[in-house]
Each structure stands twice: as structure tokens, then as C-alpha cells.
Amino acid sequence: MKVIDHFKELDACILPIVTSGTFDGVHSGHLKILSGLVQQAQTRGGESVVITYWPHPRFVLGKGSSSLKLLSTFEEKVKLLSDIGIDYLLKVRFSKEFSELSPEAFVQKVLIKGIKAKKLIIGYDHRFGKNQTGDIDFLKKNKERFGLEIEEISRLDIDQVGISSTNIRQALAAGKVDAAQEYLGRYYSLSGIVTRGDQIGRKIGFPTANLFISESYKLIPSDGVYAIFVYLGLERFDGMLNIGWRPTVKGKKRTIEAHLFDFNKDIYGSYLRVELVAIIRKEIEFNHLDGLKEQLIKDKLAAKIILEKVNYSK
């Protein structure tokens, strides 16, 4: 997949088939649109083009942006879209000026003149243009004038609950990583660099990799202990993760600490990706480190049972 930020890089395209959206999390509902896009482009000998916006429009327009947390960083989104088989990802810089484009201007400047799109595939609730006044009805009424094929993807439900990034954010905020997994179609993941911590875990036999996530807008699930898969380069390890304030040792900042099972290497500065499989318990305070160590032994056993079931089912 080619990540581009200028229309000229699409000049060689023969038959651009396009979709548009923020695609935060690239969840199961998004996949209905994206997989159809790839399939049609391949069948018709064309190119699949995804238009996405960065920064996220709500960060620019200030609509609840102070509390908004995203399911995927831009780099994570690139990886997910590439895995699906998208040919081009057009990164449009979202600004207040861009938000003032009318639906008509958006279609003319971006889709027709810019991309030279032949077909547009969008979800039933997709909106665009100034004040989000453009919708599927606008496109269908004007498709002959625009010279665009228009395809609408109807609402996709899981267990009669509409999939949305909001549903997933709410599930993760409650620690319900199993529900998030169902919506996403994969485990929710966190990625970052291993930094040096207080090394208290090492003193009680549970050394941890402290994960630093530079993107402050990335959603971190609720505090607790989780069973996880950890990816270090091409290797995968079982482990458990603590998210929280470490009340037993009077921690002063929220941390993300991964303990890798059967692992004893110095990985400071390494890049880790962690998949959250299941929550084991909420974070709690102990009177002393011995109590914490006893609980961690139980947590490790619980995590191993969970992960062994997952590995066996595969």
C-alpha cells in the first residue's frame, strides 16, 4: 500500500474505486466497506483508494476533542489498511478551511478533479462537507451529473448492536476487552517503547517492561490486570499486563507494565506491541509487597489458563 498526500500520485491510476472516512480502529463494520472496495478494484482491474483525514476532524473542530481518545494511531491505521490489501491511502490534512468545503465542492475538488474517482463506496451513515450536510441521498441524486457510481453499505450489526468506534471506546473504558475484540474482529493492541521503571517488579520476581506510548490521544483501557500476547520483533510471548497507578507502592503516575512469561532479556529501548486478550481483575492496593507478590502468582496462573485456551482453540 502506498501512503500519499497529493493527488498527483494517483495520476497513473486507471480506475480509482474510492471510500472515505476516519476509520478509527478499522473495526468489523469498516471491514465490510474496505473488503468490498478491495474486491471490486481487483475484479475490475482498478485501484482501491481510501481517503482518510489527519488530524482527526474532532481535534480540529473542537467537538469534544479534549476527551476524545482514538482506537488507533495513524501508524497503526496504516498497518491495518495495508493488511487488508488497500492500494492507496490518501492522507488529507484536515483543517478548518477544509471543513468549510460544501458537499458539492468536496465531490468536485477531491473526488472528481483530484482523484478522478469512478466509483464511491460508503457506509449508510457517512456524512461529509460543511456541517456534515453531504450524505448518501445527495450523492445518489447527483450521481449522473458527477459521473460517479455510488454504492451504499447498509448497517452491519453484531448481536443486534450497531458497530461503532464509540461502542468500542465504551467497552475498553470498562475493561471489557472481549467485547472490544468482538467489535474489532481482533484483539485491541497497544504499541510503544520499553522504558526503565523503578524495577520494583524485578525485586519480587516479576520483572516488567514499562511501555511508553508517545501518542497522548491513544485510548488506554481501564486500570486492571490483563492476559496478553506480546510481540517483540517477529517473536510472540504470553504475558500479563498491569495498567494503573500502582497504589501498593504509592505510584504517582499511570503506567503500562508488561510481564513476559519465561523471558529474561534486557529489552530497554525495544518496540513492543501488546494484544489485550482478557481482563483478570481490577487494580487493587495491598498492604505490603508480599501481598502483591502472592496476588501476582495467582494472576499469572489465571493468565496462563486463558492464553492456553486461546492457543488451543487456534
Side-chain angles (χ1 to χ4, degrees):
M1 182 179 76
K2 294 182 179 179
V3 182
I4 61 176
D5 57 10
H6 200 283
F7 296 133
K8 287 184 178 179
E9 295 178 79
L10 292 169
D11 286 348
C13 289
I14 300 171
L15 198 159
I17 299 178
V18 182
T19 192
S20 170
T22 56
F23 297 108
D24 184 32
V26 192
H27 57 61
S28 298
H30 295 145
L31 291 178
K32 181 73 173 180
I33 299 171
L34 296 166
S35 59
L37 181 78
V38 171
Q39 183 179 22
Q40 289 196 40
Q42 292 176 344
T43 299
R44 299 173 64 171
E47 300 83 13
S48 54
V49 181
V50 173
I51 306 170
T52 196
Y53 308 96
W54 196 257
H56 191 287
R58 282 173 59 183
F59 289 144
V60 176
L61 301 178
K63 297 179 179 180
S65 60
S66 61
S67 60
L68 177 65
K69 297 294 182 181
L70 300 185
L71 301 173
S72 54
T73 65
F74 188 80
E75 290 72 21
E76 288 170 341
K77 186 187 300 186
V78 168
K79 174 67 165 57
L80 291 167
L81 292 173
S82 178
D83 288 346
I84 294 168
I86 300 297
D87 293 316
Y88 292 92
L89 176 63
L90 174 61
K91 180 182 180 183
V92 173
R93 181 180 176 276
F94 194 88
S95 63
K96 289 189 176 181
E97 181 182 7
F98 184 84
S99 74
E100 292 294 314
L101 285 179
S102 67
E104 176 77 21
F106 173 83
V107 173
Q108 295 289 353
K109 291 183 178 182
V110 177
L111 297 179
I112 298 176
K113 183 179 179 181
I115 300 176
K116 300 178 179 62
K118 302 302 181 184
K119 182 170 184 176
L120 179 66
I121 303 176
I122 59 173
Y124 73 101
D125 59 348
H126 182 70
R127 292 184 174 275
F128 58 93
K130 186 175 181 179
N131 298 323
Q132 295 189 313
T133 51
D135 58 14
I136 191 70
D137 291 332
F138 169 77
L139 291 167
K140 286 181 176 179
K141 288 177 183 177
N142 295 281
K143 65 179 182 179
E144 292 184 4
R145 180 167 63 87
F146 292 147
L148 269 176
E149 287 184 61
I150 305 296
E151 180 177 340
E152 175 187 6
I153 303 297
S154 61
R155 180 169 183 165
L156 178 67
D157 291 341
I158 287 184
D159 292 338
Q160 299 179 345
V161 177
I163 302 171
S164 74
S165 296
T166 299
N167 295 137
I168 301 169
R169 293 186 189 108
Q170 290 174 345
L172 292 170
K176 298 178 180 178
V177 293
D178 53 344
Q181 176 197 348
E182 188 174 8
Y183 292 138
L184 286 166
R186 65 179 186 283
Y187 297 120
Y188 186 68
S189 64
L190 302 172
S191 303
I193 301 296
V194 178
T195 60
R196 191 174 296 275
D198 299 330
Q199 297 188 317
I200 294 173
R202 186 175 297 277
K203 294 176 183 178
I204 59 174
F206 285 88
T208 60
N210 291 265
L211 199 63
F212 173 70
I213 299 175
S214 60
E215 297 86 356
S216 60
Y217 59 82
K218 172 72 175 182
L219 190 154
I220 308 301
S222 67
D223 294 350
V225 177
Y226 297 84
I228 59 170
F229 291 128
V230 184
Y231 292 83
L232 174 61
L234 298 177
E235 294 184 275
R236 191 185 84 171
F237 301 90
D238 293 352
M240 61 186 188
L241 182 81
N242 185 82
I243 298 174
W245 294 82
R246 303 181 302 157
T248 303
V249 297
K250 311 303 179 187
K252 296 183 179 180
K253 64 178 182 178
R254 195 177 189 218
T255 61
I256 304 168
E257 299 178 280
H259 172 67
L260 285 64
F261 300 157
D262 305 315
F263 185 87
N264 188 26
K265 293 181 181 178
D266 184 344
I267 55 172
Y268 293 122
S270 299
Y271 180 85
L272 288 187
R273 183 168 68 87
V274 174
E275 293 181 337
L276 285 77
V277 178
I279 188 167
I280 298 170
R281 63 173 174 85
K282 294 294 185 179
E283 187 180 45
I284 53 180
E285 182 176 358
F286 297 89
N287 293 327
H288 46 73
L289 286 178
D290 287 341
L292 174 59
K293 181 177 180 178
E294 290 174 7
Q295 183 60 55
L296 291 176
I297 292 171
K298 296 176 184 177
D299 294 339
K300 184 173 182 178
L301 177 60
K304 283 191 169 185
I305 291 172
I306 290 168
L307 298 175
E308 283 174 5
K309 287 181 178 178
V310 172
N311 288 323
Y312 181 78
S313 66
K314 291 182 178 180

